[in-house]
Amino acid sequence: DQQVKQNSPSLSVQEGRISILNCDYTNSMFDYFLWYKKYPAEGPTFLISISSIKDKNEDGRFTVFLNKSAKHLSLHIVPSQPGDSAVYFCAASRSNFGNEKLTFGTGTRLTIIP
Amino acid sequence: NAGVTQTPKFQVLKTGQSMTLQCAQDMNHNSMYWYRQDPGMGLRLIYYSASEGTTDKGEVPNGYNVSRLNKREFSLRLESAAPSQTSVYFCASSPRVYSNNSPLHFGNGTRLTVT
């Protein structure tokens, strides 16, 4: 039972345009969400997070939006750059828990076309 | 500053063989983790150590053992490898485990194949 779903295995976007990566979750108890980015032959690195008390969090070119009623979050990258080509993992956890209950999605491979 | 270092990078085992994956972090983090990543699945937690001297099971602990040797080092042992344990293994660390706001720092992974 995949509680965190990334339904698009891959996405290609032109350099300079907006990249939108989507993530859906089924467990209504999830209230903290993170995005990790992974380059080939490297481990994932933390990118950005959002708590359920917010609906948006921004860090430079990266913005995460949370729609609690739809159980949906998205990561926007504007403008997209070649170095953004990577696999992006969405992850979710619950209040009163931490990393020991972190649930990851299956990842979306983003390719930025120069 | 190396962060999280895993050895080896690659390993091929025959069914029934044993091996230990090594992990060390130099960020003075309290908590360490072992994950596996399989095609079509997200990262799944095998074991974690909230602090030196403690270890706990994660989502998929069967077939594995761990040792938190000291604050820096956390090893994962396969006593009798099975083909189902073919995977990419990631070690990670964080300042603390029982907190949402404590992002994971990952090593570069060990690609293990069991034939």
Side-chain angles (χ1 to χ4, degrees), chain A residues 2 31-32 34 36 38 41-46 49 89 93-95 97-100 102 104-106, chain B residues 33 35 37 40-43 45 48 90 94 96-109:
Chain A
Q2 194 73 25
D31 58 6
Y32 195 80
L34 308 94
Y36 283 84
K38 184 185 178 305
E42 294 185 12
T45 56
F46 169 71
S49 62
F89 291 97
S93 69
R94 296 162 48 183
S95 289
F97 293 97
N99 291 328
E100 83 282 12
L102 195 60
F104 283 87
T106 53
Chain B
Y33 314 77
Y35 285 89
Q37 184 192 8
M41 307 196 76
L43 290 150
L45 183 62
Y48 68 97
F90 289 100
S94 70
R96 53 201 173 277
V97 64
Y98 302 118
S99 167
N100 284 328
N101 192 18
S102 185
L104 298 164
H105 297 252
F106 285 89
N108 286 339

Side-chain angles (χ1 to χ4, degrees), chain A residues 32-95:
Chain A
Y32 195 80
F33 306 89
L34 308 94
W35 286 93
Y36 283 84
K37 172 180 176 178
K38 184 185 178 305
Y39 292 121
E42 294 185 12
T45 56
F46 169 71
L47 191 57
I48 192 168
S49 62
I50 187 167
S51 163
S52 62
I53 62 173
K54 295 184 170 184
D55 53 20
K56 174 183 171 182
N57 189 26
E58 197 170 346
D59 183 1
R61 295 187 298 114
F62 302 90
T63 303
V64 56
F65 294 92
L66 176 62
N67 182 333
K68 291 185 287 291
S69 60
K71 295 194 184 70
H72 176 84
L73 64 155
S74 60
L75 175 68
H76 293 213
I77 307 173
V78 184
S80 299
Q81 298 174 355
D84 296 328
S85 294
V87 176
Y88 290 79
F89 291 97
C90 164
S93 69
R94 296 162 48 183
S95 289

Side-chain angles (χ1 to χ4, degrees), chain B:
Chain B
N1 190 347
V4 178
T5 303
Q6 290 183 237
T7 54
K9 287 186 169 52
F10 302 95
Q11 184 71 49
V12 178
L13 292 178
K14 293 190 190 314
T15 298
Q17 287 185 318
S18 62
M19 80 160 296
T20 300
L21 281 65
Q22 307 285 355
C23 175
Q25 53 94 7
D26 62 5
M27 294 174 284
N28 201 34
H29 285 167
N30 289 311
S31 306
M32 297 185 74
Y33 314 77
W34 277 104
Y35 285 89
R36 59 179 289 174
Q37 184 192 8
D38 301 294
M41 307 196 76
L43 290 150
R44 292 182 295 166
L45 183 62
I46 304 170
Y47 270 93
Y48 68 97
S49 170
S51 60
E52 188 178 352
T54 70
T55 60
D56 283 286
K57 294 178 181 178
E59 181 186 353
V60 289
N62 291 345
Y64 305 96
N65 286 303
V66 290
S67 295
R68 183 76 183 265
L69 305 167
N70 48 55
K71 190 170 186 179
R72 289 187 65 246
E73 297 173 288
F74 189 39
S75 62
L76 178 73
R77 183 158 178 84
L78 287 71
E79 288 291 351
S80 179
S84 61
Q85 294 178 305
T86 294
S87 187
V88 180
Y89 291 85
F90 289 100
C91 178
S93 70
S94 70
R96 53 201 173 277
V97 64
Y98 302 118
S99 167
N100 284 328
N101 192 18
S102 185
L104 298 164
H105 297 252
F106 285 89
N108 286 339
T110 296
R111 185 174 293 274
L112 175 68
T113 302
V114 183
T115 61

